[in-house]
């Protein structure tokens, strides 16, 4: 099967490419009690949507899973985030708050130490974080402290110990059975676990909020890495990882100046801006906009690609997009083999025309 045919099969949610009868015959060994700790990220007094996807993933482990959210930091926004977490979904039974200046920033060393401490007290069967920079930074280190082998980038959960994850740059799916004992530690792709909806009923069933006892917290763990600063684009555009519409530009844009055509279109559509690695490497846009195997994974309702060839490493990041639209002047560009709508045309003609015809965003 060619890489593109594989992409199409995976996009259509084919059953895992690698799954063995050996696996299914061992599914029976389910732990008696499932309890999950979610390592959650918060911002401006609210839980980030990627961490809510981790709650959705925990819900898929088993019915009756007891889910605790672990939050850390300092200051009033932490307390607000704790209240938000407690009321966001009925699946959450407990919110654990580690309130200390040592955890103000999401550094791997103190966070891993915290996870170790909380696991020793709570004895969770599973620990989950989203596959964001936060989760990818913290969970492997925490797993090393707990002497466990983490399973990363999970896209589907078939049982408490049976997980599906992509391999070979997303060209195949692999089913993995975990046999390492508690806790089973996972990072999940948030695009594969839609954010659970918030009902008003759940607000009246708020989860309990407890402070983590930090008297035995190893403060010596703090110090190997140092938080310098957070730099983020000052923009009102939606977050690339959660946007409903993504407009992406490739190398064909030729310059940062020309790339503004993509940004203007995104503005009119209320979309996030994405870029190929070639566009990032050429300096048109910052690295954080890269979509693909080594960039962000996106799953919008509409993905628009302008001057993007459709390299397999780029396609690895857009597999879960519902509708893909491509504009490329080469009719043989691989992107057309995965696009739902394709236009063989020069983007420097198409983009100005689109911008002229679309109304201004109110
Ligand atoms: C380990 C590894 C990881 C990688 N990770 C990523 C990743 O995460 N994301 C990623 O994107 N890439 C990644 N790459 C790079 C990837 O292989 C491609 O090189 C890259 O995606 C190509 O970007 P592009 O489509 O913008 O450029 P090109 O491949 O140069 O394609 C440009 C396209 O624009 C078209 N075009 C040119 N002029 C016009 C015009 N005027 N109007 C319309 N169309 C036009 C051309 O026909 C062509 O198809 C990775 C590579 C490696 C080896």
């Amino acid at each position: 099967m060619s890489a593109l045919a594989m992409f199409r099969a995976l996009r259509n949610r084919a059953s895992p490419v690698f799954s063995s009868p050996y696996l299914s015959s061992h599914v029976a060994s389910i732990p008696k009690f499932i309890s999950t700790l979610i390592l959650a990220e918060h911002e401006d007094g609210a839980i980030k949507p990627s961490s809510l996807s981790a709650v959705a993933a925990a819900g898929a482990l088993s019915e009756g899973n007891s889910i605790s959210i672990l939050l850390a930091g300092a200051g009033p926004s932490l307390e607000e985030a704790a209240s938000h977490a407690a009321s966001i979904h009925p699946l959450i039974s407990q919110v654990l708050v580690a309130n200390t200046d040592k955890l103000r920033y999401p550094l791997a060393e103190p966070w891993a130490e915290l996870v170790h401490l909380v696991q020793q007290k709570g004895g969770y069967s599973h620990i989950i974080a989203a596959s964001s920079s936060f989760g990818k930074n913290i969970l492997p280190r925490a797993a090393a402290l707990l002497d466990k082998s983490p399973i990363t980038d999970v896209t589907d959960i078939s049982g408490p110990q049976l997980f599906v994850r992509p391999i070979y740059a997303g060209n195949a799916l692999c089913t993995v059975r975990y046999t390492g004992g508690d806790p089973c530690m996972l990072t999940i792709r948030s695009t594969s676990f839609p954010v659970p909806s918030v009902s008003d009923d759940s607000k009246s069933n708020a989860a309990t909020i407890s402070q983590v006892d930090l008297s035995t917290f190893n403060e010596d763990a703090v110090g190997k890495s140092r938080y310098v600063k957070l730099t983020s684009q000052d923009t009102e555009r939606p977050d690339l990882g959660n946007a409903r519409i993504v407009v992406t530009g490739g190398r064909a844009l030729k310059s940062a100046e020309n790339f503004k055509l993509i940004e203007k279109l995104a503005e009119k559509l209320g979309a996030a801006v994405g870029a190929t690695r070639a566009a990032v490497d050429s300096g048109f846009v910052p690295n954080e906009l890269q979509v693909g195997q080594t960039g962000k994974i996106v799953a919008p309702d509409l993905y628009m690609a302008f001057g993007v060839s459709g390299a397999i490493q780029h396609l690895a990041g857009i597999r879960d997009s519902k509708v893909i639209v491509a504009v490329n002047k080469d009719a043989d560009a691989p992107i057309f083999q995965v696009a739902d709508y394709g236009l063989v045309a020069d983007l420097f003609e198409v983009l100005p025309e689109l911008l002229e015809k679309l109304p201004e965003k109110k």
Side-chain angles (χ1 to χ4, degrees):
M1 195 186 267
S2 74
L4 283 165
M6 186 77 83
F7 173 90
R8 280 200 295 274
L10 295 182
R11 198 169 159 233
N12 292 333
R13 300 214 170 270
S15 44
V17 176
F18 288 165
S19 80
S20 119
Y22 167 84
L23 296 173
S24 48
S25 65
H26 286 70
V27 181
S29 53
I30 294 171
K32 283 190 190 71
F33 181 67
I34 307 287
S35 60
T36 303
L37 181 69
I38 308 280
L39 313 185
E41 245 184 312
H42 60 98
E43 188 175 56
D44 299 332
I47 303 298
K48 283 199 171 181
S50 55
S51 298
L52 290 176
S53 293
V55 175
L61 284 170
S62 82
E63 269 181 43
N65 184 0
S66 162
I67 301 176
S68 301
I69 298 264
L70 178 59
L71 289 172
S77 77
L78 175 66
E79 302 308 324
E80 276 176 49
S83 308
H84 180 238
S87 61
I88 193 79
H89 203 275
L91 281 179
I92 300 167
S93 55
Q94 187 179 205
V95 179
L96 299 170
V97 181
N99 190 339
T100 166
D101 231 24
K102 300 279 186 252
L103 290 159
R104 183 178 284 276
Y105 305 115
L107 297 175
E109 291 97 335
W111 249 98
E113 199 59 39
L114 174 68
V115 175
H116 186 247
L117 178 76
V118 171
Q119 173 62 19
Q120 278 180 331
K121 291 190 181 161
Y124 298 92
S125 65
H126 292 73
I127 298 180
I128 304 182
S131 282
S132 57
S133 309
F134 169 83
K136 287 194 278 192
N137 187 24
I138 289 159
L139 192 117
R141 192 176 182 98
L145 279 185
L146 290 163
D147 199 18
K148 298 295 168 212
S149 181
I151 300 172
T152 56
D153 274 333
V154 169
T155 55
D156 199 9
I157 294 178
S158 309
Q161 292 164 323
L162 207 58
F163 309 102
V164 178
R165 63 184 299 272
I167 53 171
Y168 305 136
N171 286 323
L173 296 177
C174 165
T175 302
V176 181
R177 189 168 81 88
Y178 178 75
T179 55
D182 292 349
C184 168
M185 301 181 75
L186 312 170
T187 63
I188 57 100
R189 283 220 178 147
S190 45
T191 50
S192 301
F193 297 94
V195 174
S197 59
V198 187
S199 75
D200 283 345
D201 288 356
S202 68
K203 292 194 171 144
S204 55
N205 294 330
T208 54
I209 300 178
S210 319
Q211 299 293 323
V212 177
D213 175 6
L214 293 170
S215 54
T216 55
F217 181 60
N218 178 10
E219 295 196 358
D220 294 340
V222 184
K224 292 222 169 112
S225 58
R226 192 166 55 88
Y227 182 87
V228 179
K229 66 174 176 182
L230 171 71
T231 314
S232 67
Q233 295 273 329
D234 189 13
T235 167
E236 289 182 1
R237 279 193 219 115
D239 179 53
L240 186 54
N242 305 307
R244 284 184 48 249
I245 307 176
V246 174
V247 183
T248 286
R251 194 198 317 258
L253 267 299
K254 291 188 186 152
S255 68
E257 188 55 32
N258 290 340
F259 210 92
K260 292 199 175 115
L261 289 168
I262 296 287
E263 289 164 6
K264 277 188 201 143
L265 180 62
E267 214 165 283
K268 285 204 166 182
L269 295 172
V273 171
T276 63
R277 177 155 143 187
V280 169
D281 288 350
S282 305
F284 305 164
V285 283
N287 186 273
E288 70 207 44
L289 299 189
Q290 184 179 317
V291 172
Q293 182 192 337
T294 44
K296 298 249 166 71
I297 306 293
V298 300
D301 293 339
L302 174 62
Y303 188 79
M304 301 179 82
F306 292 86
V308 172
S309 58
I312 200 70
Q313 294 90 352
H314 186 77
L315 301 184
I318 65 171
R319 178 163 73 85
D320 290 328
S321 303
K322 294 205 176 66
V323 175
I324 297 176
V325 174
V327 178
N328 194 307
K329 68 179 186 187
D330 175 6
D332 294 327
I335 190 86
F336 286 132
Q337 296 184 39
V338 301
D340 300 283
Y341 299 92
L343 182 61
V344 180
D346 188 327
L347 65 86
F348 291 108
E349 288 168 15
V350 175
L351 277 170
E353 199 178 330
L354 259 177
L355 287 170
E356 194 191 308
K357 292 198 169 141
L358 283 168
E360 285 304 326
K361 194 177 166 243
K362 291 185 185 129

